[in-house]
Amino acid sequence: MAKDDSDIYAALLETIDRGELQPGARLIETELAERFKVSRTPVRQVLNRLESQGIAARDGKGGLIVAELSQDQLGELYDIREVLEGFAAKLAARHASPAEIELLREMIASDKLVRGEAHDLARANKQFHQQLHHCTHNQYLQQMLDSVRRSLSLLSGTTLAEPARVQDSQEEHIQLVEAIERRDEATAEEVARRHVRNSYRTRLKIELDWEVSRAED
């Protein structure tokens, strides 16, 4: 059970990431304090932290909600993600140790065995990218990528709910690791950037389908 600010922060982020708290959902101190079995003070501190990071936002009535990204913000997020992921791949090709590269290969092999829920695919994908980020050996870049990942948690669903995207994503992962293993920095960067661009196109389709579905309700 969460006992301090960092525990509550991590647990609340995970709750948002799993979709249990959707964008627009109210973040009520008393309810969250009861959920995590703590006083309202650490919950309030965590909510202030989330607001400063753009994960929580004011609802116009003095309350806090899980932030919602506009179409412009979505584009901006993927623009910066493309740059950062590309640079991360470039640094990974330069700095990754043989053991780290082998772990990436093992993760790809495991990904091919993943079947079933999109959530399982998304979790495996997140673990792959986190390991890739470790391969950069650049803590400041990793912090920036963590910030982008937190913002991505505000998006509904996962692009890996699209079967075609699953196959393409796995192939892009293979190409990326092969470039890293060859120490081909330019190719690694290009593959990573293309990977993000393809994900963005799928994300736009998901958001459009969701808007149409909501309008029909």
Side-chain angles (χ1 to χ4, degrees):
M1 186 63 63
K3 294 182 179 180
D4 56 34
D5 292 6
S6 60
D7 290 333
I8 299 169
Y9 175 77
L12 191 49
L13 277 182
E14 178 65 19
T15 300
I16 295 172
D17 194 39
R18 289 197 305 265
E20 294 178 19
L21 284 173
Q22 293 283 335
R26 296 185 66 195
L27 297 170
I28 302 173
E29 283 184 17
T30 53
E31 293 181 358
L32 293 172
E34 182 178 353
R35 179 174 189 154
F36 296 120
K37 308 300 182 186
V38 295
S39 70
R40 293 174 60 180
T41 299
V43 171
R44 185 179 305 117
Q45 292 171 341
V46 168
L47 291 179
N48 288 338
R49 180 180 178 185
L50 292 176
E51 184 180 10
S52 71
Q53 294 174 337
I55 306 302
R58 295 290 166 178
D59 63 1
K61 300 178 181 179
L64 279 176
I65 60 173
V66 178
E68 300 178 273
L69 296 180
S70 67
Q71 282 287 342
D72 286 345
Q73 289 173 316
L74 178 63
E76 292 167 1
L77 177 60
Y78 270 88
D79 280 345
I80 195 65
R81 184 188 179 198
E82 180 183 333
V83 173
L84 293 177
E85 291 284 5
F87 188 47
K90 179 178 181 177
L91 290 186
R94 185 183 304 173
H95 297 301
S97 69
E100 289 172 329
I101 296 173
E102 181 60 28
L103 179 55
L104 288 174
R105 283 197 167 279
E106 291 175 359
M107 296 177 82
I108 289 175
S110 296
D111 286 350
K112 290 182 178 180
L113 300 177
V114 174
R115 295 292 184 270
E117 297 298 324
H119 177 71
D120 294 331
L121 293 167
R123 183 171 60 250
N125 181 68
K126 181 191 299 183
Q127 291 171 342
F128 174 85
H129 281 277
Q130 287 177 331
Q131 176 57 29
L132 177 64
H133 300 162
H134 289 317
C135 292
T136 66
H137 295 271
N138 187 310
Q139 62 178 320
Y140 299 103
L141 178 57
Q142 290 178 50
Q143 290 171 3
M144 287 187 283
L145 286 162
D146 282 344
S147 178
V148 169
R149 180 182 58 79
R150 286 195 297 269
S151 295
L152 288 171
S153 70
L154 299 175
L155 300 174
S156 56
T158 170
T159 58
L160 297 177
E162 300 288 329
R165 182 63 197 139
V166 173
Q167 182 175 351
D168 290 345
S169 178
Q170 290 179 341
E171 179 58 33
E172 288 157 5
H173 283 177
I174 292 172
Q175 294 173 7
L176 179 56
V177 174
E178 288 176 346
I180 291 172
E181 191 167 31
R182 295 195 307 271
R183 305 299 180 182
D184 186 342
E185 297 180 18
T187 299
E189 180 173 14
E190 173 51 33
V191 171
R193 295 186 68 139
R194 173 160 41 87
H195 180 66
V196 174
R197 290 196 299 270
N198 290 341
S199 177
Y200 179 45
R201 282 195 290 270
T202 303
R203 171 56 62 184
L204 287 176
K205 179 180 181 300
I206 290 174
E207 295 300 314
L208 178 60
D209 289 345
W210 183 78
E211 289 180 6
V212 170
S213 175
R214 183 172 62 174
E216 291 174 346
D217 289 342

